[in-house]
Amino acid sequence: MRLLPLALGVPRRGSPRHLPYCSPAPLLLLLGGCLGVSAAAAGSRRPNVVLLLADDQDEVLGGMTPLKKTKALIGEMGMTFSSAYVPSALCCPSRASILTGKYPHNHHVVNNTLEGNCSSKSWQKIQEPDTFPAILRSMCGYQTFFAGKYLNEYGAPDAGGLAHVPLGWSYWYALEKNSKYYNYTLSINGKARKHGENYSVDYLTDVLANVSLDFLDYKSNSEPFFMMISTPAPHSPWTAAPQYQNTFQNVFAPRNKNFNIHGTNKHWLIRQAKTPMTNSSIQFLDNAFRKRWQTLLSVDDLVEKLVKRLEFSGELNDTYIFYTSDNGYHTGQFSLPIDKRQLYEFDIKVPLLVRGPGIKPNQTSKMLVANIDLGPTILDIAGYNLNKTQMDGMSFLPILKGASNLTWRSDVLVEYQGEGRNVTDPTCPSLSPGVSQCFPDCVCEDAYNNTYACVRTMSEMWNLQYCEFDDQEVFVEVYNLTADPHQINNIAKSIDPELLGKMNYRLMMLQSCSGPTCRTPGVFDPGYRFDPRLMFNNHGSVRTRRFSKHL
C-alpha cells in the first residue's frame, strides 16, 4: 500500500493523516477499449467524472432549495433534469441500481438487510465485479475514489466486515452501515477507523469534503479520475453542523394538496393512516423537515469546495459533475408522517444536475431518465463500448450534448418489495398483519404486502403511472399526472380498459426485462407493438402478473 501524506502545515478539519491507495489493476487494461481510434491516436485525455450522491433528498417537496451554491455551480453551469426517477424508493436497492445500471429484479437487492442482498456475500461475488466503477478502473484506466455511505449493510461481520473493499476502487473511504454524522466507523482501504463527536474532526460531511480534496491534491495527474462522494445528508438523524443549527426556523413542511389528507382509493397501507394527523406527528415532521434542510447546507459547502479546487487545479473544464439522490422523501403526504418506500412522485423522483465538457449552461431537460442510466452515461463518457455490459439503463450523454432527433424512452419501471412479517403487531392490534416502520400512534409506513411494481410513463401526450400490488386483491393504482400532479385521484376504475390492458402488458414486459429488452419501446413509443392475445385468458379478463416474493 502506498501512503500519501497530507500537505505540510495545519491539517484541514476532519482530514485523515494519510490517504490510502489500493494497488492499480493489472495493466492488461487495453485502454483502447475505452477510446475511439482517432482519440487514442491523438493522445486525447478522457474526461474526469464526479458523482455526488445525497441520501433521502427529495425533489418534489423543495429538497434543492437550501443548495444555492450547488444549483449555481452545477445546475446553472449545465443541465437540470426535471424528470429523474429511481427504480426503487429505498436506499440499498437504489444504490445497487446506480452501481450496476440494473433494475432491482436483475441485481436482486430488495431491501436494506443482508437477507435482502444488501452488501451480502452474494452481492459481492455476483454484482460488484461488474459495477461501472470496476469497469472504469480495469478497462478504462481510471483512478477511482469512493467516500461516504456505500450500501446500508456494508461492514457487517457476516459479509466480510470493514476489511472488504469492493472491486473497482483505488481509494476506499467507506462508512460502516447506515448514515450517521458523529460516532461512526470508516473503512479506510479495509482498515477500521473510529470517529467520535468532535465537530472539528468528526463531522462526517466535512470529513468527506476534506478527504476528497486530499485525493485531488495527491492523485496521479497521468490518468483520468472518477470520484463518488456519498454524503449522509439529509438522512436521519438529521444532525446539522453547529453553525447551521438555527437556520430555517420559520420553515415548515409544505402544505401542498396531498398533505394531511386521507389516501382515498389507495392501497390499504395508505388508507390506514390516521387523518387528520395528530399535532405531535405534525410537529415532529415539521422539525424533521427543517433539520433535513440544515444538514444540506454542509453538502452545499462540500460542493463549493470541490468545484473551487477543480477550478484552481485547471481540471474543472475537463470534469463532468453529477449531483443526485438515492430516493425522495415525504413529510405528511396522505397523512404518512416521514419516510420513503411509496410509489408516489415525492418518493421516486429525485434531483439530477450535471455540468461538464460540451454541456451548455442553464439547460433544463424534460427527458425521462432513471438512476440506472448513470452507469451507462459515465461509461459512455469514458469511451467504453456499452454493448459489452449487461446494464438495463441507457446513456443520456447525447441529451447532455444537445443531440437533436434523439430516440428516447417513454417509460421506466419502479419496483419495491415491502418489509414486514405476516403477523399482527401487538402494539397495533387493529391493523392488518405484516406492518412495519410504525409510529407511536400506529401509523405504519411499510408492510410485507406493500410490494408493488409500476410503469412511469411520460410522452408528448401522456403523463401516467400504472401500478400493481402483490396482495390478495392485486390492487391497482393509476394516475394521470397532467390533470392530477399530486396523485390524489386513482383512476384505475375509470380509465379506458384498452389502455389499462396495454399498461398491464408493458409492466409484465419490464418486470421480466434484462439489458436491451429493458430499452424496448414503451406503450407511447412509435415502435410499440401490442398483441392483445397475450393479455387475456379464456374468460376474457385482464391477466395481471403476480410477483415473485424475491422480485
Side-chain angles (χ1 to χ4, degrees):
M1 180 189 298
R2 190 177 80 199
L3 303 182
L4 297 176
L6 291 176
L8 296 177
V10 179
R12 285 188 288 269
R13 185 175 66 245
S15 293
R17 291 189 176 276
H18 56 74
L19 193 65
Y21 178 72
C22 300
S23 59
L27 286 177
L28 46 91
L29 294 178
L30 301 177
L31 300 185
C34 284
L35 280 175
V37 175
S38 60
S44 175
R45 167 80 174 261
R46 285 150 290 150
N48 310 307
V49 182
V50 177
L51 173 58
L52 295 152
L53 181 64
D55 195 350
D56 284 3
Q57 184 182 0
D58 67 276
E59 194 274 339
V60 172
L61 301 179
M64 284 300 297
T65 303
L67 296 172
K68 298 185 185 304
K69 301 171 186 175
T70 301
K71 289 188 290 185
L73 293 171
I74 303 179
E76 293 176 14
M77 298 303 295
M79 182 173 288
T80 299
F81 287 84
S82 61
S83 302
Y85 289 85
V86 295
S88 187
L90 189 63
C91 299
C92 204
S94 181
R95 290 165 181 265
S97 287
I98 291 173
L99 291 164
T100 62
K102 298 177 181 178
Y103 284 120
H105 69 264
N106 286 327
H107 61 59
H108 306 296
V109 178
V110 297
N111 58 39
N112 288 343
T113 67
L114 280 178
E115 294 76 16
N117 202 32
C118 180
S119 202
S120 67
K121 288 186 176 180
S122 173
W123 156 267
Q124 294 169 14
K125 179 180 179 180
I126 298 173
Q127 300 296 338
E128 280 185 344
D130 293 322
T131 61
F132 80 85
I135 296 172
L136 283 177
R137 187 181 179 200
S138 65
M139 301 304 296
C140 303
Y142 272 67
Q143 303 167 83
T144 54
F145 167 91
F146 182 87
K149 175 179 171 180
Y150 179 58
L151 301 176
N152 294 57
E153 283 295 321
Y154 173 74
D158 291 344
L162 295 175
H164 172 68
V165 178
L167 288 174
W169 298 102
S170 313
Y171 297 82
W172 183 249
Y173 204 81
L175 176 69
E176 180 183 32
K177 296 196 174 180
N178 208 354
S179 283
K180 292 183 177 180
Y181 298 82
Y182 295 108
N183 297 311
Y184 54 85
T185 301
L186 295 173
S187 169
I188 304 180
N189 197 33
K191 303 292 185 182
R193 176 179 294 173
K194 293 184 180 295
H195 279 259
E197 51 189 16
N198 182 343
Y199 169 70
S200 64
V201 294
D202 296 319
Y203 189 68
L204 181 55
T205 307
D206 289 351
V207 169
L208 300 181
N210 292 330
V211 73
S212 300
L213 298 182
D214 291 339
F215 167 74
L216 292 175
D217 283 346
Y218 296 107
K219 64 176 174 57
S220 167
N221 289 323
S222 62
E223 301 165 329
F225 62 82
F226 168 70
M227 303 176 72
M228 184 171 178
I229 307 167
S230 181
T231 73
H235 196 285
S236 62
W238 315 304
T239 308
Q243 67 270 28
Y244 296 133
Q245 289 178 358
N246 293 319
T247 57
F248 305 124
Q249 291 305 305
N250 295 320
V251 168
F252 301 90
R255 269 52 171 176
N256 52 11
K257 289 185 178 180
N258 54 21
F259 178 83
N260 199 15
I261 68 169
H262 187 256
T264 306
N265 295 324
K266 289 178 168 51
H267 187 235
W268 75 266
L269 180 68
I270 308 301
R271 298 197 305 267
Q272 59 84 34
K274 294 176 175 63
T275 306
M277 290 184 287
T278 63
N279 289 336
S280 60
S281 289
I282 293 178
Q283 184 178 7
F284 176 76
L285 68 86
D286 277 337
N287 190 45
F289 187 90
R290 189 177 302 114
K291 288 183 175 181
R292 283 164 52 80
W293 276 21
Q294 291 170 355
T295 65
L296 284 169
L297 293 175
S298 293
V299 178
D300 214 26
D301 292 340
L302 182 158
V303 172
E304 180 184 42
K305 293 174 185 176
L306 188 72
V307 171
K308 285 186 174 181
R309 180 56 55 86
L310 289 169
E311 186 175 30
F312 178 78
S313 64
E315 295 173 300
L316 183 59
N317 291 336
D318 298 320
T319 303
Y320 287 88
I321 305 177
F322 295 72
Y323 183 94
T324 191
S325 173
D326 58 0
N327 50 255
Y329 210 69
H330 60 257
T331 49
Q333 283 60 49
F334 303 123
S335 299
L336 296 173
I338 57 166
D339 198 50
K340 49 257 185 168
R341 307 169 199 264
Q342 308 306 330
L343 57 87
Y344 309 105
E345 291 286 279
F346 41 73
D347 285 356
I348 65 173
K349 193 173 183 180
V350 293
L352 177 58
L353 291 67
V354 191
R355 68 170 290 169
I359 305 176
K360 295 180 180 179
N362 288 308
Q363 299 292 304
T364 298
S365 174
K366 296 180 180 179
M367 303 296 268
L368 180 62
V369 297
N371 71 8
I372 57 170
D373 301 330
L374 290 170
T377 301
I378 293 170
L379 289 177
D380 198 8
I381 288 170
Y384 188 72
N385 182 356
L386 298 179
N387 292 327
K388 295 181 179 180
T389 76
Q390 294 299 313
M391 293 181 174
D392 303 333
M394 304 167 62
S395 169
F396 55 81
L397 183 59
I399 297 175
L400 294 173
K401 293 293 187 72
S404 58
N405 299 320
L406 181 66
T407 300
W408 196 250
R409 64 157 73 94
S410 66
D411 58 22
V412 292
L413 175 69
V414 179
E415 51 190 350
Y416 177 69
Q417 182 167 311
E419 296 183 63
R421 296 180 298 117
N422 192 12
V423 296
T424 300
D425 187 332
T427 63
C428 302
S430 64
L431 296 179
S432 300
V435 294
S436 65
Q437 309 295 321
C438 296
F439 283 81
D441 50 5
C442 283
V443 175
C444 302
E445 295 275 3
D446 207 1
Y448 80 97
N449 71 346
N450 184 39
T451 295
Y452 59 80
C454 305
V455 180
R456 183 68 179 90
T457 294
M458 300 185 77
S459 68
E460 290 185 4
M461 296 182 59
W462 293 96
N463 187 2
L464 291 176
Q465 186 174 22
Y466 173 92
C467 302
E468 291 180 13
F469 283 84
D470 181 22
D471 54 19
Q472 291 182 345
E473 56 182 332
V474 192
F475 194 82
V476 175
E477 295 188 27
V478 183
Y479 298 97
N480 177 355
L481 283 94
T482 301
D484 179 24
H486 298 284
Q487 296 170 289
I488 294 171
N489 301 310
N490 178 8
I491 60 172
K493 294 182 179 179
S494 61
I495 196 170
D496 182 345
E498 181 179 354
L499 178 57
L500 198 68
K502 288 183 178 181
M503 296 298 289
N504 171 246
Y505 174 68
R506 180 59 177 163
L507 178 60
M508 289 193 295
M509 297 299 99
L510 284 176
Q511 279 195 278
S512 58
C513 77
S514 179
T517 59
C518 297
R519 305 188 289 273
T520 55
V523 172
F524 298 101
D525 289 324
Y528 177 77
R529 297 292 180 267
F530 173 59
D531 184 353
R533 294 172 297 178
L534 299 176
M535 292 302 303
F536 295 91
N537 59 24
N538 294 331
H539 300 287
S541 60
V542 174
R543 177 172 64 87
T544 54
R545 180 180 188 274
R546 294 308 297 263
F547 293 66
S548 161
K549 286 299 180 184
H550 301 288
L551 283 180

